[in-house]
Amino acid sequence: MKGKSKKVRGKSEEDKFPPFSFFLFPFSHWRRRLSPTGNTGDAIFRTVIFGMSFVMVLIVGAMIVALASHSMLSIREFGFGFLTGREWNPIKGQFGALAFIYGTIVSSLIALLISVPLSLGIAIFLVEQAPYYVARPITFLVELLAAIPSVVYGLWGIFVLAPFLRVYVEPPLARWFGWLPLFQGPITGIGLLTGGVILAIMVTPIVSAVARDVLSAVPNTQREAALALGATKWETTLVVMVNGAPGIAGAVILGLGRAIGETMAVTMVIGNRPEISLSLFQPSYTLASVVANEFTEATGDLYLSSLVELGLILFLVTFVVNAIARLLVWRVTRRTAGVGMAV
């Protein structure tokens, strides 16, 4: 009879399973969702790696919740005034984070002012100028700096960097620019300037490595087009830098995130005094340093809660900064992935 047809082949998934076995259908359905090929092994593998990624999200969320819950006493006690308070006196129960925020920001800015030009120069040389047999060993040596433990940097800062700055750098700065508040006060070699310099040394490998990857991702066609139009090597390098500007900005922000969160090296050379001073020669304190130094000494609940709130502020700032950096780097690498990469 017309209008009726029997399906022998190509049965739907519902037809394959009888009504009493409806509980089998969801597994087949989700298997097709997890694996386009319908292969069970691919579906299991995809589920496992998705679960691993989701666990990392849960860990980050759990860290935020734990820090927030343990800092609620300080948040209820001081509110927004905790961020603007200048006094840190555990004996009187007065806690303010402004001095630590100031020390963190200033030392990080000093690090960026020193490390960004140096890092860009290294990246440009390795990608645009140096031959392969020179670029490889220099790249290895620069990236090796990132593997040195923080405490080693701190020891080097105490015994080498601080005396060098005290004798050869800070006196000329005070003599030539002493009319500025930034270079006034007693010279000890321990202070914001020393902390910023050691941060710059630690940040340089990260910024230069990411900037090098970004410049290498710029298509060679951009260089060839610029040279074909009569551009010099320097002008061609400028074209490459313009194309990689978002990624370079991401490298700088990534270095800023590292500088904000650095603890041991800065703690050993910055002086650890909760004061706000315009002079770069004066001791200061950072968010990471105060948590590392005073956490074991915190006896009162409010004292401990205030330190945890400092950690929460540091965590959120570092998280946001690194997220912005990753987005900027992803933006430039996504556009140029697989297109005429530089050697």
Side-chain angles (χ1 to χ4, degrees):
M1 295 178 63
K2 294 184 178 180
K4 294 183 178 180
S5 60
K6 294 182 179 180
K7 284 189 176 181
V8 179
R9 297 180 182 178
K11 292 183 179 180
S12 65
E13 200 69 35
E14 291 84 350
D15 295 334
K16 292 181 180 179
F17 295 100
F20 59 84
S21 61
F22 66 93
F23 57 88
L24 294 177
F25 177 71
F27 172 76
S28 177
H29 174 73
W30 283 109
R31 184 178 62 183
R32 291 200 311 271
R33 282 293 189 90
L34 294 172
S35 175
T37 61
N39 185 275
T40 303
D42 290 343
I44 294 174
F45 175 73
R46 193 171 183 180
T47 303
V48 170
I49 60 176
F50 174 79
M52 292 178 180
S53 302
F54 188 68
V55 165
M56 297 307 301
V57 176
L58 289 179
I59 291 175
V60 174
M63 292 175 64
I64 296 176
V65 171
L67 291 174
S69 62
H70 285 82
S71 60
M72 285 306 299
L73 179 61
S74 174
I75 294 174
R76 286 194 297 264
E77 179 72 20
F78 303 108
F80 186 77
F82 183 80
L83 300 177
T84 58
R86 301 184 59 170
E87 187 172 358
W88 183 267
N89 193 332
I91 298 177
K92 298 181 179 180
Q94 297 176 348
F95 300 98
L98 186 60
F100 310 122
I101 296 174
Y102 172 80
T104 302
I105 293 175
V106 173
S107 60
S108 300
L109 290 179
I110 294 173
L112 290 185
L113 289 175
I114 298 174
S115 68
V116 169
L118 181 62
S119 301
L120 288 181
I122 293 172
I124 292 172
F125 173 74
L126 294 177
V127 176
E128 303 294 329
Q129 300 291 335
Y132 180 78
Y133 60 87
V134 173
R136 285 300 294 263
I138 294 180
T139 300
F140 172 76
L141 291 176
V142 172
E143 294 180 352
L144 184 63
L145 293 174
I148 299 177
S150 177
V151 67
V152 176
Y153 275 111
L155 291 173
W156 177 81
I158 291 176
F159 294 112
V160 178
L161 180 62
F164 177 81
L165 294 179
R166 183 179 64 246
V167 175
Y168 297 105
V169 177
E170 292 180 352
L173 289 176
R175 185 168 57 252
W176 298 335
F177 305 103
W179 50 276
L180 292 174
L182 295 175
F183 305 105
Q184 296 178 358
I187 297 174
T188 61
I190 299 295
L192 269 174
L193 181 61
T194 308
V197 172
I198 202 167
L199 277 178
I201 298 173
M202 301 179 69
V203 165
T204 295
I206 298 174
V207 179
S208 61
V210 178
R212 176 182 175 274
D213 292 339
V214 169
L215 295 180
S216 299
V218 176
N220 274 332
T221 53
Q222 298 290 334
R223 300 175 176 84
E224 295 168 357
L227 293 173
L229 292 174
T232 62
K233 187 64 176 177
W234 166 241
E235 292 170 337
T236 303
T237 302
L238 289 179
V239 172
V240 174
M241 291 182 65
V242 169
N243 279 272
I248 295 174
V252 173
I253 298 176
L254 194 64
L256 176 61
R258 169 66 189 275
I260 290 174
E262 182 52 47
T263 305
M264 288 308 302
V266 180
T267 302
M268 298 170 74
V269 298
I270 202 170
N272 301 325
R273 186 184 300 169
E275 296 179 356
I276 298 178
S277 175
L278 292 178
S279 176
L280 300 181
F281 299 155
Q282 294 298 315
S284 187
Y285 230 151
T286 64
L287 290 169
S289 298
V290 67
V291 174
N293 274 342
E294 301 187 15
F295 192 81
T296 56
E297 303 173 0
T299 54
D301 293 337
L302 184 60
Y303 189 7
L304 183 61
S305 179
S306 299
L307 290 174
V308 176
E309 187 175 357
L310 291 178
L312 177 63
I313 296 171
L314 180 62
F315 180 87
L316 293 178
V317 170
T318 306
F319 183 82
V320 172
V321 167
N322 281 274
I324 295 174
R326 293 295 181 182
L327 287 175
L328 290 174
V329 174
W330 172 78
R331 177 184 171 186
V332 68
T333 54
R334 179 180 62 89
R335 284 191 325 211
T336 58
V339 184
M341 301 297 181
V343 179

